[in-house]
Amino acid sequence: WDPFSLCANGAKWGPRKALTTTQLEAFDWFEDLAAFTEMMGDDDPDGELVPKIVQKCIFPEVARRLRQCWDVTCIEQSKRAAALLDECLLFEVGEDGAFNELLLAALERLRVCLRQFAPEVFVPAHLVSSWYASPVRKRLLWRCCKIAACAAHLEGRVADEQLAPLVLQEIFALRMAPHLQGPRLHLEEMDLLERFIEALPERWLDPLPAALSPLRDCLGPRAPKNAELSAERAYRLLQKMKCFDEAAALKL
């Protein structure tokens, strides 16, 4: 089983090709077991056989794949991670919280990869100018943006109380915002911010979270006076952020 499609196209494991689907119905055993548990309808004492087997045998493997295989910088793999969680949720029965373990595995993977691939960077004051010109800074910012967009694919699966702080605080406030030179004067940073805000669920922006308040301020009327060329883009971005007063002020 290769749910993250990590193998080359057509790869075989043993006598058959790898299964790259996230749907458990593709397993050979699924149809026979499902039919067996439907023989007596709702009164079948084996009615929860398939969900219990999936929880015991498949859930641990999904958790392992999330922790060890998911590339959190890859949009396609992140879509597959979300699809795996959706599929597993269909087999959540009882109150043992087996599905919650999968959510914890996904969050753990995000945090581990964030530390590995986009660590917090502290720049001494005398090196700030060279840091702004460094291609490393640009790669760090875009990598953070990509991880944020991938993490946002888990929206609706992982609770907002856990996912939103990771994206807004751990990624934006701690890793992106400190390294922005001035979005209104540097159009590449505007590109970055547009991609970031576009990836966020709308409900996270109403009301505007505290982590994004500095962004609202630097895009709005407090922007440098020589930033007229980016005013229209800033206006559209503030509209997306639901900062309508600040957006309107740019039109005055």
Side-chain angles (χ1 to χ4, degrees):
W1 188 34
D2 185 22
F4 285 109
S5 194
L6 301 178
C7 295
N9 291 337
K12 288 186 177 182
W13 293 350
R16 62 183 301 174
K17 290 183 178 181
L19 285 174
T20 59
T21 179
T22 58
Q23 305 296 309
L24 302 187
E25 289 85 348
F27 287 114
D28 292 340
W29 50 264
F30 188 92
E31 186 175 346
D32 290 338
L33 282 181
F36 174 76
T37 61
E38 293 175 356
M39 293 179 62
M40 298 177 61
D42 294 338
D43 296 327
D44 196 326
D46 294 316
E48 293 187 352
L49 177 63
V50 173
K52 290 295 186 182
I53 288 177
V54 169
Q55 287 188 23
K56 186 173 181 61
C57 300
I58 304 297
F59 276 25
E61 184 61 15
V62 171
R64 186 185 73 81
R65 301 295 180 102
L66 289 170
R67 286 193 175 98
Q68 299 180 11
C69 302
W70 173 27
D71 181 356
V72 303
T73 66
C74 176
I75 292 293
E76 182 58 37
Q77 286 197 27
S78 299
K79 290 179 179 178
R80 286 177 172 267
L84 274 174
L85 292 175
D86 289 344
E87 181 72 3
C88 289
L89 183 59
L90 300 176
F91 300 93
E92 172 76 339
V93 296
E95 299 180 357
D96 55 358
F99 183 73
N100 288 336
E101 293 299 317
L102 304 184
L103 301 180
L104 291 175
L107 282 169
E108 178 184 330
R109 178 65 171 176
L110 282 167
R111 290 196 169 98
V112 167
C113 290
L114 193 58
R115 291 194 297 269
Q116 290 178 343
F117 302 141
E120 288 187 67
V121 176
F122 301 93
V123 182
H126 68 282
L127 294 177
V128 169
S129 296
S130 59
W131 172 244
Y132 281 148
S134 170
V136 176
R137 179 185 73 96
K138 296 178 182 179
R139 287 199 297 271
L140 175 67
L141 286 171
W142 278 106
R143 185 172 293 172
C144 288
C145 184
K146 185 180 289 188
I147 294 175
C150 290
H153 277 88
L154 301 188
E155 180 261 335
R157 289 97 179 167
V158 176
D160 284 354
E161 293 77 9
Q162 295 173 303
L163 189 60
L166 186 147
V167 174
L168 298 173
Q169 185 64 32
E170 295 184 41
I171 296 180
F172 183 78
L174 297 182
R175 289 171 166 84
M176 293 178 66
H179 305 296
L180 295 175
Q181 186 174 4
R184 289 290 303 275
L185 297 176
H186 300 273
L187 298 185
E188 185 177 358
E189 292 187 359
M190 288 294 291
D191 295 339
L192 175 82
L193 293 173
E194 286 172 348
R195 292 284 294 275
F196 177 79
I197 296 298
E198 187 67 33
L200 302 181
E202 285 192 14
R203 66 175 180 277
W204 289 7
L205 301 173
D206 190 16
L208 188 74
L212 297 183
S213 295
L215 177 58
R216 173 198 60 199
D217 296 339
C218 76
L219 291 175
R222 298 184 189 178
K225 298 300 183 182
N226 56 340
E228 292 84 0
L229 291 178
S230 60
E232 185 61 33
R233 294 181 68 181
Y235 171 81
R236 293 195 298 268
L237 190 54
L238 287 167
Q239 289 276 358
K240 289 181 182 179
M241 294 167 60
K242 302 186 184 301
C243 301
F244 301 114
D245 291 342
E246 289 77 6
L250 294 181
K251 293 293 187 179
L252 298 177

